[in-house]
Amino acid sequence: MTSTVHDPTVRDPIEELRTTLEEQFQRHSDQLAHLTVCSRQPDRGGFDDDILEALIVSSRQVVADTAQALRRMAEGSYGTCERCATDIPLQRLEILPHARFCVPCQRKRTG
């Protein structure tokens, strides 16, 4: 007979991913705010204009992707491929917590 006692030292992988996503959201939101302030300074905060713009675009995308992943968690659809509706493997989510597609579908999307 197996034991069904809950071990409090074992964390739910999805809850760990939620924590990772929340931390990532906060970190990139802070970075975006800093970069936005820099973009309004005459010297651009010491950044090259093109590099600053690329960093802002990148930060915006990460914030949007992360917010979308947190939304999917709240809705109960997190971890399901948006194209084929199969489960996205936990290993992929651990590497890319905001993944929306399984690897085969992502390859089809990006060619």
Side-chain angles (χ1 to χ4, degrees):
M1 184 170 172
T2 59
S3 173
T4 57
V5 176
H6 177 70
D7 182 352
T9 62
V10 176
R11 294 202 41 172
D12 176 11
I14 298 300
E15 285 306 311
E16 288 184 22
L17 289 168
R18 181 187 318 275
T19 299
T20 298
L21 285 165
E22 289 170 347
E23 290 169 355
Q24 181 176 324
F25 182 84
Q26 187 61 54
R27 186 173 55 254
H28 286 279
S29 293
D30 292 347
Q31 179 182 24
L32 181 57
H34 172 72
L35 293 169
T36 301
V37 168
C38 289
S39 73
R40 294 180 181 145
Q41 295 173 349
D43 69 347
R44 302 285 191 241
F47 289 97
D48 172 80
D49 285 346
D50 293 335
I51 291 173
L52 182 59
E53 181 61 28
L55 289 170
I56 289 172
V57 168
S58 176
S59 289
R60 281 185 184 145
Q61 188 62 53
V62 172
V63 167
D65 290 346
T66 305
Q68 188 177 46
L70 288 166
R71 192 173 317 114
R72 288 193 310 274
M73 279 185 170
E75 295 169 351
S77 62
Y78 181 77
T80 302
C81 178
E82 291 182 7
R83 185 172 183 274
C84 70
T86 62
D87 288 342
I88 299 172
L90 183 59
Q91 295 83 359
R92 176 163 170 74
L93 293 172
E94 288 170 343
I95 294 167
L96 190 66
H98 62 268
R100 296 171 40 212
F101 303 99
C102 64
V103 171
C105 289
Q106 183 66 46
R107 285 187 182 139
K108 289 175 186 172
R109 284 179 45 86
T110 58

mmCIF file of all heavy atoms in Angstrom, residues 2-3 8 20 30 40 48 69 71:
data_model
loop_
_atom_site.group_PDB
_atom_site.id
_atom_site.type_symbol
_atom_site.label_atom_id
_atom_site.label_comp_id
_atom_site.label_asym_id
_atom_site.label_seq_id
_atom_site.Cartn_x
_atom_site.Cartn_y
_atom_site.Cartn_z
ATOM 1 N N THR A 2 0.589 2.189 -0.885
ATOM 2 C CA THR A 2 1.396 3.404 -0.960
ATOM 3 C C THR A 2 0.819 4.472 -0.061
ATOM 4 O O THR A 2 -0.379 4.555 0.168
ATOM 5 C CB THR A 2 1.454 3.939 -2.409
ATOM 6 O OG1 THR A 2 0.131 4.209 -2.838
ATOM 7 C CG2 THR A 2 2.131 2.962 -3.337
ATOM 8 N N SER A 3 1.689 5.298 0.421
ATOM 9 C CA SER A 3 1.294 6.375 1.313
ATOM 10 C C SER A 3 0.797 7.562 0.503
ATOM 11 O O SER A 3 1.339 7.891 -0.542
ATOM 12 C CB SER A 3 2.493 6.790 2.160
ATOM 13 O OG SER A 3 2.179 7.931 2.903
ATOM 14 N N PRO A 8 5.420 18.238 2.608
ATOM 15 C CA PRO A 8 5.507 19.694 2.406
ATOM 16 C C PRO A 8 6.833 20.160 1.816
ATOM 17 O O PRO A 8 6.934 21.292 1.365
ATOM 18 C CB PRO A 8 5.304 20.265 3.811
ATOM 19 C CG PRO A 8 5.668 19.163 4.735
ATOM 20 C CD PRO A 8 5.380 17.878 4.009
ATOM 21 N N THR A 20 8.571 31.680 -10.698
ATOM 22 C CA THR A 20 9.568 32.104 -11.688
ATOM 23 C C THR A 20 8.984 33.170 -12.611
ATOM 24 O O THR A 20 9.620 34.194 -12.878
ATOM 25 C CB THR A 20 10.056 30.902 -12.515
ATOM 26 O OG1 THR A 20 10.680 29.969 -11.639
ATOM 27 C CG2 THR A 20 11.015 31.315 -13.613
ATOM 28 N N ASP A 30 10.616 46.258 -14.154
ATOM 29 C CA ASP A 30 11.557 47.230 -13.585
ATOM 30 C C ASP A 30 12.575 47.674 -14.627
ATOM 31 O O ASP A 30 12.900 48.867 -14.738
ATOM 32 C CB ASP A 30 12.282 46.636 -12.370
ATOM 33 C CG ASP A 30 11.373 46.410 -11.177
ATOM 34 O OD1 ASP A 30 10.231 46.934 -11.163
ATOM 35 O OD2 ASP A 30 11.798 45.674 -10.255
ATOM 36 N N ARG A 40 14.343 59.048 -22.160
ATOM 37 C CA ARG A 40 13.892 60.445 -22.067
ATOM 38 C C ARG A 40 15.005 61.404 -21.655
ATOM 39 O O ARG A 40 14.801 62.613 -21.639
ATOM 40 C CB ARG A 40 12.738 60.535 -21.076
ATOM 41 C CG ARG A 40 11.516 59.794 -21.583
ATOM 42 C CD ARG A 40 10.365 59.877 -20.619
ATOM 43 N NE ARG A 40 9.238 59.135 -21.157
ATOM 44 C CZ ARG A 40 8.396 58.448 -20.420
ATOM 45 N NH1 ARG A 40 8.527 58.424 -19.107
ATOM 46 N NH2 ARG A 40 7.413 57.791 -20.985
ATOM 47 N N ASP A 48 23.522 53.695 -26.547
ATOM 48 C CA ASP A 48 23.402 53.992 -27.971
ATOM 49 C C ASP A 48 21.906 53.952 -28.307
ATOM 50 O O ASP A 48 21.164 53.106 -27.780
ATOM 51 C CB ASP A 48 24.174 52.933 -28.769
ATOM 52 C CG ASP A 48 23.960 53.047 -30.248
ATOM 53 O OD1 ASP A 48 24.601 53.907 -30.883
ATOM 54 O OD2 ASP A 48 23.122 52.266 -30.771
ATOM 55 N N ALA A 69 1.461 34.237 -19.985
ATOM 56 C CA ALA A 69 1.627 32.935 -19.328
ATOM 57 C C ALA A 69 0.919 32.929 -17.973
ATOM 58 O O ALA A 69 0.244 31.952 -17.620
ATOM 59 C CB ALA A 69 3.114 32.615 -19.157
ATOM 60 N N ARG A 71 -1.618 34.722 -17.161
ATOM 61 C CA ARG A 71 -3.047 34.713 -17.480
ATOM 62 C C ARG A 71 -3.519 33.301 -17.805
ATOM 63 O O ARG A 71 -4.579 32.864 -17.344
ATOM 64 C CB ARG A 71 -3.326 35.661 -18.652
ATOM 65 C CG ARG A 71 -4.784 35.957 -18.888
ATOM 66 C CD ARG A 71 -5.022 37.039 -19.956
ATOM 67 N NE ARG A 71 -4.113 38.163 -19.836
ATOM 68 C CZ ARG A 71 -3.172 38.489 -20.739
ATOM 69 N NH1 ARG A 71 -3.027 37.789 -21.836
ATOM 70 N NH2 ARG A 71 -2.385 39.523 -20.557
#
